[in-house]
Amino acid sequence: LSGGRNWIKDICMGWDRKLWLACQAGFLVFETTTGEFSDGLQALGIESYGREHHAMNTLLIDQESKLWLASWDGVYVISPDTREMKYLEENTGLAHAFPQGSAIELYLDQIGSVWLGTWNRGASYHNSEIKKFGLLSQKIYPEGLTGDIARCMVSDESGNLYIGIDQGGVNKINRKDNSFTHFRHDDNNPGSLIHDNVRALLYLEKGRQLWIGTQGGLDLMNIGTGKIQHFQTSSERNEGLVSNDIRCLSRDIFNRIWIGTYSGLSVYQPISGNFNNFRYNPEDQRSLSDNRIYCIYEDSNRDIWVATRRGLNKYIPETMTFKRFLSSSLDTASLANDFITCVFEDSKNRLLIGTYGGGLHLMDREKEMFHIWNSNDGLPNNVVYGILEDRGGNLWLSTHRGVSKFKP
């Protein structure tokens, strides 16, 4: 791989056990049986994209096995039967239209519709049964979406869609009648959303709970009643969030909500309704190693791993502290780099850690030691952004210089 093909942004398993890769220079096909890469267009016998720009952002396989490619120039769809590629044209004069331009996110909902998140052009959906798009933007639906920058989306058990809008709150779409309900911040209504800049959404079917992470705090909405409970920082120790600027949300097996920020970590306890807050403390070796959190991962042993800008942390529930794992020039079995980008457990329960500059690590959790693979061992680059496992047990690593197939 060379040039823009080294910048791999997304991977999915496609037809005939082939891997499809979205990259800065288009898309690639990887033949898992031969280990060979080929240009996506050449593999399909297509002469050109027909567009000037074709840097791909993400891809998706829908329920009809069609491949969707989202790019900065729009969306392409490839049929598995004809192997023909279609560029989806814009038609802003119709209510059922497609927003041409920067496509940044694809989402497949429970009823098989493909949702598209765009940059500054709203959201749209494609109904596979009636073969048309519904564009959700302020231009076409002035009373629909409250903004055109859709940051996050989740759906509930009834198929209703919730979209987090940059400075636009949460928009609920009832899929039965396509009606909209807006949840916004209102200074005169204490029961309204705490802030309009929504960063993360998490839906729990039990209790019909919609957790909403915003720039101004955390909200818990009962989607049945519409009532909202607010959570923010508190002047009293450990009674509020560690920071009001929420970046990510996740749930563990005990239904605790883990909230990651750049100012530390908060854990919501559902039984007591209280928060446990964790920050870096230079005088306490059992505190978080850094406040900038990039990933929170629960493994098969129910251990929680927190990846930060400076080290990997294992949560010790008995003492509510952390075991730090940091690089050391005196210990060859320690981390090679402290910037942790991702944590992944494979089908053999092996814990793998990607780093920004230190390559790939395999952790021996009993001995608390790391085995390291880097560019000297054949990795194309020592920056590992993500890890994916295929059905054959092979690991696929996205790096700063392309994709690597690896079997530890």
Side-chain angles (χ1 to χ4, degrees):
L1 298 179
S2 60
R5 295 181 176 183
N6 280 331
W7 189 351
I8 307 299
K9 299 181 179 180
D10 199 9
I11 308 173
C12 76
M13 182 65 73
W15 318 309
D16 303 325
R17 297 184 60 82
K18 291 182 174 65
L19 282 179
W20 298 82
L21 300 86
C23 63
Q24 186 68 13
F27 76 103
L28 303 173
V29 178
F30 181 78
E31 179 59 67
T32 57
T33 57
T34 63
E36 296 180 351
F37 287 93
S38 60
D39 180 81
L41 293 186
Q42 294 179 358
L44 296 172
I46 300 173
E47 293 184 0
S48 69
Y49 289 95
R51 313 292 300 180
E52 181 178 357
H53 305 290
H54 46 265
M56 300 299 170
N57 291 319
T58 187
L59 36 75
L60 175 147
I61 299 289
D62 68 14
Q63 290 186 339
E64 297 178 344
S65 298
K66 292 181 179 179
L67 175 67
W68 293 68
L69 297 159
S71 78
W72 286 112
D73 195 43
V75 173
Y76 302 83
V77 180
I78 303 174
S79 171
D81 299 322
T82 63
R83 303 298 170 100
E84 294 179 347
M85 181 170 65
K86 178 181 180 182
Y87 177 77
L88 302 180
E89 298 286 350
E90 179 181 36
N91 185 354
T92 55
L94 300 175
H96 295 285
F98 178 77
Q100 187 180 36
S102 301
I104 57 177
E105 188 62 60
L106 292 169
Y107 174 77
L108 185 67
D109 69 17
Q110 294 177 340
I111 63 173
S113 295
V114 176
W115 288 80
L116 169 69
T118 71
W119 183 258
N120 236 17
R121 301 298 299 275
S124 79
Y125 66 93
H126 178 263
N127 189 308
S128 60
E129 294 183 358
I130 58 178
K131 309 295 183 186
K132 65 181 179 181
F133 277 93
L135 174 62
L136 309 177
S137 72
Q138 289 182 306
K139 182 177 181 180
I140 294 179
Y141 290 101
E143 298 181 358
L145 282 186
T146 54
D148 283 342
I149 301 179
R151 285 186 175 269
C152 46
M153 293 182 282
V154 296
S155 60
D156 63 22
E157 64 276 4
S158 299
N160 299 311
L161 192 73
Y162 300 83
I163 304 176
I165 304 294
D166 189 304
Q167 303 298 340
V170 175
N171 293 191
K172 174 187 174 182
I173 306 174
N174 186 317
R175 301 300 307 283
K176 294 180 180 179
D177 57 12
N178 287 328
S179 62
F180 287 80
T181 304
H182 302 142
F183 301 96
R184 301 291 302 271
H185 171 71
D186 183 350
D187 288 335
N188 298 318
N189 181 7
S192 67
L193 208 63
I194 202 167
H195 199 283
D196 272 342
N197 193 353
V198 178
R199 297 279 184 80
L201 294 173
L202 175 69
Y203 180 69
L204 306 182
E205 184 173 346
K206 183 178 181 180
R208 307 191 73 191
Q209 297 180 344
L210 180 66
W211 291 85
I212 307 166
T214 78
Q215 192 177 3
L218 180 67
D219 280 339
L220 171 58
M221 177 191 295
N222 183 309
I223 66 169
T225 64
K227 292 184 178 180
I228 299 175
Q229 182 179 0
H230 303 312
F231 303 97
Q232 289 182 300
T233 57
S234 174
S235 59
E236 299 182 18
R237 185 178 180 183
N238 288 346
E239 288 196 1
L241 289 167
V242 69
S243 170
N244 288 331
D245 193 356
I246 311 301
R247 297 286 175 165
C248 59
L249 299 171
S250 64
R251 176 180 65 97
D252 67 16
I253 196 170
F254 301 109
N255 290 319
R256 295 175 297 192
I257 307 300
W258 295 73
I259 303 106
T261 76
Y262 273 10
S263 300
L265 173 70
S266 290
V267 182
Y268 177 75
Q269 304 289 343
I271 296 178
S272 65
N274 296 325
F275 288 92
N276 298 118
N277 292 330
F278 304 95
R279 300 180 181 87
Y280 166 66
N281 182 351
E283 299 180 356
D284 184 359
Q285 295 298 313
R286 301 188 304 168
S287 68
L288 278 173
S289 61
D290 193 85
N291 284 329
R292 294 163 293 180
I293 298 168
Y294 286 82
C295 175
I296 304 169
Y297 189 89
E298 182 180 29
D299 67 17
S300 58
N301 296 326
R302 299 181 180 177
D303 289 326
I304 302 294
W305 301 88
V306 182
T308 75
R309 177 62 178 80
R310 196 180 71 87
L312 179 67
N313 300 260
K314 177 184 177 182
Y315 180 61
I316 311 300
E318 294 80 8
T319 57
M320 298 180 66
T321 58
F322 292 88
K323 169 70 175 180
R324 296 179 182 177
F325 297 92
L326 301 168
S327 61
S328 172
S329 59
L330 302 178
D331 184 2
T332 57
S334 68
L335 289 170
N337 187 285
D338 285 335
F339 194 154
I340 310 301
T341 56
C342 57
V343 181
F344 179 79
E345 186 178 37
D346 68 8
S347 58
K348 296 182 179 179
N349 298 327
R350 295 176 296 192
L351 195 69
L352 297 126
I353 296 96
T355 69
Y356 193 92
L360 177 69
H361 295 57
L362 172 63
M363 184 177 187
D364 186 326
R365 282 172 278 192
E366 292 185 1
K367 297 180 180 179
E368 297 187 340
M369 300 171 60
F370 296 89
H371 182 81
I372 303 167
W373 294 277
N374 54 35
S375 57
N376 294 329
D377 303 299
L379 281 181
N381 188 264
N382 288 330
V383 178
V384 179
Y385 291 115
I387 307 169
L388 175 71
E389 182 180 18
D390 64 24
R391 287 175 290 184
N394 301 300
L395 298 179
W396 295 87
L397 314 176
S398 58
T399 79
H400 201 58
R401 293 191 62 187
V403 173
S404 177
K405 177 185 176 182
F406 182 69
K407 195 161 189 175

